[in-house]
Amino acid sequence: MKKIYNPDKTTWLEVLKRPTQTVADIENTVLNVFDKVKSEGDIAINEFTQKFDGVLLDEILVSVEEIEEAKNIISEELKEAIGLAKSNIETFHAAQKTSKISVETVDGVSCWQEKRPIQKVGLYIPGGTAPLFSTILMLAIPANLAGCQEIVLCSPPNKEGKINLAILYTANLCGVTKICKVGGIQAVAGMTFGTKSIPQVYKIFGPGNQFVTVAKQLATKFGVAIDMPAGPSELLVVADDNANAAFVASDLLSQAEHGKDSQVIMVTTSKKMIDGVEQEIEKQLEILPRKDIARIAIENSKLIYVENDELALDLINEYGPEHFIVCVKNEDFYINNIANAGSVFIGDYTPESAGDYASGTNHTLPTNGYAKQYSGVNLDSFMKSMTFQKISAKGIQNIGTAIELMAEAEGLQAHKNAVTLRLESLKKG
């Protein structure tokens, strides 16, 4: 990891630069896939699956038999673990439900807001070397709590044309209505345009590599909403002399093993901690099965020393981390003043892994600095707020003149007339 001491504020943008490609670097590849899927449907999906995943499928949709096989093979211990996580995630997200908000703004003018579920949602679940079945819990559970009617899941198949058994089991457990063996750009394109096998959806959720992230962003050009730009995983830990170097290193490595383009950063007010964490990373890295992936990610990562907590916080807010771990004596300073972070983990015994799996919070979070303006996935992500108003005769008399004056000032005579006609009819009795 690169060690940086007291970086000048003028260099922060460069110091905190992420190892990701831009939309422009990937856009042409994504648009080519989109065009082909839009015009050729399942034929194009199968061609791209063969090209990118190395398998020619007979059927895109997962069968009932495959789901039953997963239920029978998954160990009882893993089922219990998934069940515990499911319960905690349901508890946290169910608590986010809000009731109808109703108010009478003036006598005779009633306004209210109600929430309605997004009817059709698509979930993208990465497969490959790290099949993220935990992401299904994070997406399908709030989708069901919200009342979404159709929940479509896409995940890439392996070389045998199968989807990971834990993904199938969890998807079935969480009420996914259709599971498709398709990954990458073509999965996002399929959910954007719809094919014979893949339903078109109104909003797409889920993390992925840089190609999936750009595909989601470009899907918005075709009338589909997305949860957020969620690309390669990232973590920032703030630590001082009170932190446990072994714990900090384990957290940094837990994110580094996600992928070669992941980034982890430690910001610290302790030079001693930099040396301790660096040593622990090398020690722990050697025993990781995914050490080759983690080592490349570590090369893109940094250990940054600053002189005080105020500078550290400014640097962290400038970065806007997806995951933010606080391991300092004065933790309240960071908790109360952090402005830009997807999810915050506090204290020695709150590893980021807890939020990834079983604490109850959602792990689908904004990356690449988007924590400055995006929330992580929550119950409201699967809902829309709709406003209603009902105005009585008394109410239109109370606000009618104001509407007429404002409409006329904007030069919108028909708007004014819609009110004038009503007011005149009331005068006539």
Side-chain angles (χ1 to χ4, degrees):
M1 295 179 78
K2 188 175 182 181
K3 292 186 281 188
I4 301 170
Y5 294 90
N6 288 320
D8 188 89
K9 281 194 174 185
T10 59
T11 68
W12 281 6
L13 284 178
E14 184 61 30
V15 167
L16 298 173
K17 189 175 181 181
R18 284 148 167 106
T20 55
Q21 293 175 270
T22 66
V23 172
D25 295 327
I26 299 172
E27 187 168 1
N28 285 337
T29 300
V30 173
L31 287 175
N32 287 336
V33 174
F34 270 43
D35 288 343
K36 196 168 177 68
V37 170
K38 184 178 181 181
S39 60
E40 299 179 20
D42 282 352
I43 293 172
I45 293 289
N46 283 325
E47 284 183 13
F48 288 120
T49 299
Q50 186 173 19
K51 178 180 179 180
F52 295 126
D53 298 307
V55 60
L56 181 61
L57 297 176
D58 295 324
E59 184 63 56
I60 292 173
L61 294 178
V62 167
S63 67
V64 174
E65 290 75 21
E66 287 174 294
I67 293 171
E68 286 301 314
E69 179 188 19
K71 288 164 65 177
N72 292 331
I73 293 177
I74 292 292
S75 71
E76 290 304 315
E77 291 82 5
L78 181 55
K79 288 179 181 177
E80 288 177 11
I82 292 171
L84 171 66
K86 181 174 182 286
S87 175
N88 290 345
I89 294 163
E90 281 176 336
T91 298
F92 184 69
H93 288 75
Q96 297 169 24
K97 289 185 178 180
T98 55
S99 57
K100 169 182 169 181
I101 299 169
S102 182
V103 64
E104 189 172 47
T105 54
V106 298
D107 188 19
V109 179
S110 295
C111 299
W112 67 95
Q113 176 183 283
E114 296 184 30
K115 291 178 181 176
R116 298 282 190 272
I118 298 171
Q119 292 170 295
K120 302 176 183 180
V121 297
L123 316 182
Y124 185 80
I125 307 300
T129 58
L132 301 185
F133 64 87
S134 58
T135 301
I136 302 168
L137 297 166
M138 302 295 174
L139 300 178
I141 287 172
N144 269 301
L145 287 170
C148 300
Q149 294 174 7
E150 193 163 7
I151 305 172
V152 180
L153 185 152
C154 289
S155 190
N158 61 20
K159 301 295 184 185
E160 288 73 48
K162 301 281 189 180
I163 287 182
N164 178 271
L165 294 176
I167 287 178
L168 294 182
Y169 171 78
T170 308
N172 181 68
L173 181 71
C174 294
V176 169
T177 56
K178 194 163 285 189
I179 308 172
C180 307
K181 301 176 184 179
V182 56
I185 300 168
Q186 62 270 27
V188 178
M191 291 188 284
T192 298
F193 302 113
T195 72
K196 183 179 179 181
S197 299
I198 307 170
Q200 184 182 34
V201 301
Y202 299 153
K203 188 172 183 178
I204 298 173
F205 295 79
N209 61 24
Q210 295 177 50
F211 289 92
V212 170
T213 300
V214 173
K216 284 173 61 184
Q217 289 174 272
L218 292 182
T220 63
K221 293 185 177 182
F222 301 96
V224 177
I226 63 170
D227 49 0
M228 72 196 83
S233 193
E234 59 192 39
L235 167 71
L236 188 148
V237 180
V238 63
D240 62 12
D241 280 325
N242 291 273
N244 183 311
F247 291 176
V248 172
S250 70
D251 286 321
L252 295 172
L253 288 170
S254 75
Q255 287 306 290
E257 74 172 354
H258 263 298
K260 296 176 181 179
D261 51 4
S262 296
Q263 186 179 55
V264 293
I265 292 175
M266 181 182 75
V267 176
T268 183
T269 53
S270 166
K271 292 180 180 178
K272 178 183 174 184
M273 185 57 57
I274 285 184
D275 295 334
V277 168
E278 189 174 42
Q279 291 168 13
E280 279 292 336
I281 283 174
E282 284 303 316
K283 177 181 172 183
Q284 295 179 32
L285 185 60
E286 286 307 310
I287 61 173
L288 293 178
R290 293 168 65 88
K291 66 180 178 181
D292 292 340
I293 292 172
R295 190 176 291 281
I296 293 172
I298 288 294
E299 288 173 4
N300 293 322
S301 301
K302 289 146 189 166
L303 302 171
I304 303 173
Y305 168 82
V306 293
E307 291 182 348
N308 56 58
D309 288 331
E310 289 74 18
L311 273 172
L313 183 68
D314 286 347
L315 185 75
I316 293 159
N317 276 324
E318 180 62 39
Y319 185 71
E322 176 190 18
H323 306 98
F324 175 40
I325 296 181
V326 181
C327 287
V328 296
K329 183 177 182 180
N330 187 14
E331 63 183 31
D332 286 346
F333 172 76
Y334 290 92
I335 295 166
N336 295 332
N337 295 292
I338 184 66
N340 304 320
S343 191
V344 182
F345 304 78
I346 304 157
D348 284 343
Y349 299 101
T350 315
E352 187 277 329
S353 308
D356 267 356
Y357 293 108
S359 66
T361 60
N362 207 293
H363 79 203
T364 307
L365 303 165
T367 66
N368 206 28
Y370 284 107
K372 294 174 182 176
Q373 60 272 89
Y374 281 87
S375 305
V377 165
N378 54 77
L379 187 65
D380 279 350
S381 304
F382 295 87
M383 306 185 85
K384 308 156 297 186
S385 292
M386 295 172 62
T387 56
F388 300 78
Q389 52 257 291
K390 184 171 183 180
I391 302 174
S392 67
K394 179 70 172 174
I396 197 65
Q397 288 172 321
N398 282 334
I399 65 173
T401 301
I403 296 170
E404 287 179 308
L405 289 167
M406 293 171 73
E408 188 167 39
E410 289 190 343
L412 299 175
Q413 193 62 41
H415 281 64
K416 178 184 177 182
N417 289 344
V419 174
T420 302
L421 288 171
R422 288 169 167 82
L423 293 177
E424 288 178 350
S425 72
L426 287 170
K427 289 177 184 176
K428 292 175 184 177

